[in-house]
């Protein structure tokens, strides 16, 4: 029997490539490290840009969104929130991200800040690999027209927000009714997002390369409303009950994007493109779980 085909590939950065830096905002430590990283990359003859919507790092060029078309790598200095901000900046562009953790947890920013320059050197030397992560795409349709399209690396959330009443939502898979859920809300998480809000709400941990997503109710009214795992080649859709729910918050990767009403249908599918993370060749996801979550620790 032949071995399964690996989905990883090597990252090769030709000299002179454009590299963008995205750092944790308003954090002196991250700003200082960004300056040192920029100087280091320039010494290696790389073109260094400061990511959009950030204060310019001295000695670099301020990147506009269109400039990211020519960027070969983004380096993130911060926490998972900073990483997700970098993903949003890309707007679907196929640019890999190398993340360094300067936050509290760091599932996406898996490399320590202390290892920054050692990992960068390995990256420039072609000794790192790209690992794919699936993404979600959500469309909000109203009266036959799409009024919004959003891409998420971690999750899409529909919740009641500050409203006092629970929301009532019908969930469909390929137009078949799955369930009608009365809850504070629910989460649709990718495998990458399974260790974020989904986990806090009692959802399962998914291997990051699993071809699935999970729908997890948040504080459901019924004990029979449980997390459900779906193949990611299925279309899921969601509608609020007009008789019981007037509106709900629509949140993508932790950022409120809009409000939805019973006139809206939220349609979720796997995005047509993957996100690429830069990792060491021997990166072990289960080691990350044990390190970050004390997974399986009985002490």
């Amino acid at each position: 029997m032949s071995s399964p085909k690996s989905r990883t590939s090597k990252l090769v950065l030709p000299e002179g490539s454009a590299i963008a830096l995205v750092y944790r905002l308003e954090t002196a430590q991250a700003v200082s490290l960004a300056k040192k990283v920029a100087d280091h990359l320039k010494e290696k003859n790389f073109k260094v840009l400061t990511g959009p919507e950030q204060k310019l790092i001295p000695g670099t060029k301020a990147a506009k969104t269109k400039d990211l078309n020519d960027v070969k790598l983004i380096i993130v200095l911060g926490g998972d929130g900073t990483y997700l901000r970098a993903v949003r900046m890309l707007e679907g562009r196929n640019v890999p991200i190398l993340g360094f953790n300067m936050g509290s947890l760091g599932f996406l920013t898996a490399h320590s800040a202390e290892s920054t320059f050692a990992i960068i050197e390995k990256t420039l030397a072609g000794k790192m690999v790209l690992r794919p992560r699936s993404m979600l795409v959500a469309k909000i349709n109203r009266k036959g027209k799409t009024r919004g399209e959003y891409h998420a690396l971690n999750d899409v959330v529909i919740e009641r927000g500050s409203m006092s009443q629970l929301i009532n939502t019908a969930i469909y898979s390929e137009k078949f009714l799955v369930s009608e859920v009365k809850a504070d809300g629910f989460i649709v998480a990718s495998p990458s997002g399974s260790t974020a809000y989904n986990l806090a709400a009692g959802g399962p941990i998914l291997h990051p390369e699993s071809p699935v997503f999970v729908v997890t109710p948040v504080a459901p009214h019924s004990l029979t409303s449980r997390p459900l795992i779906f193949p990611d080649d299925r279309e899921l859709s969601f509608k609020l009950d007009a008789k019981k729910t007037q509106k709900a918050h629509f949140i993508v990767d932790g950022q409120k994007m809009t409000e939805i009403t019973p006139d809206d249908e939220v349609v979720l599918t796997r995005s047509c493109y993957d996100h690429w993370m830069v990792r060491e060749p021997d990166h072990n996801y289960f080691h990350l779980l044990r390190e970050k979550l004390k997974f399986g620790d009985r002490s």
Side-chain angles (χ1 to χ4, degrees), residues 153-185:
L153 176 59
N154 266 3
D155 51 41
V156 171
V157 178
I158 297 174
E159 67 175 19
R160 65 184 178 94
S162 59
M163 293 174 283
S164 60
Q165 293 183 327
L166 302 180
I167 61 174
N168 291 261
T169 310
I171 304 172
Y172 298 85
S173 173
E174 300 292 331
K175 305 303 180 183
F176 293 102
L177 178 66
V178 175
S179 179
E180 293 180 347
V181 178
K182 183 178 183 180
D184 279 356

Side-chain angles (χ1 to χ4, degrees), residues 122 129 131 279-285:
K122 291 183 71 171
V129 298
R131 293 186 179 270
R279 291 285 192 260
E280 295 189 79
D282 61 353
H283 172 76
N284 184 332
Y285 176 70

Side-chain angles (χ1 to χ4, degrees), residues 177-205:
L177 178 66
V178 175
S179 179
E180 293 180 347
V181 178
K182 183 178 183 180
D184 279 356
F186 57 88
I187 306 152
V188 184
S190 70
S192 296
S194 69
T195 50
Y197 190 10
N198 166 76
L199 184 63
I205 296 174

Side-chain angles (χ1 to χ4, degrees), residues 262-278:
D263 290 331
D264 295 311
E265 180 185 33
V266 178
V267 179
L268 268 165
T269 56
R270 176 172 175 156
S271 176
C272 62
Y273 59 85
D274 286 340
H275 170 64
W276 292 93
M277 292 183 166
V278 182

Side-chain angles (χ1 to χ4, degrees), residues 4 18 41 54 58 66 71 75 85-86 92 96 104 134 149 157 179-180 186 198 225 234 248 254-255 262 279:
L41 292 172
Q54 299 180 119
K66 65 179 182 179
V71 166
I75 295 178
R85 181 159 56 85
S104 58
S134 62
E149 180 174 317
V157 178
S179 179
E180 293 180 347
F186 57 88
N198 166 76
S225 295
R234 305 289 172 87
Q255 302 293 310
R279 291 285 192 260

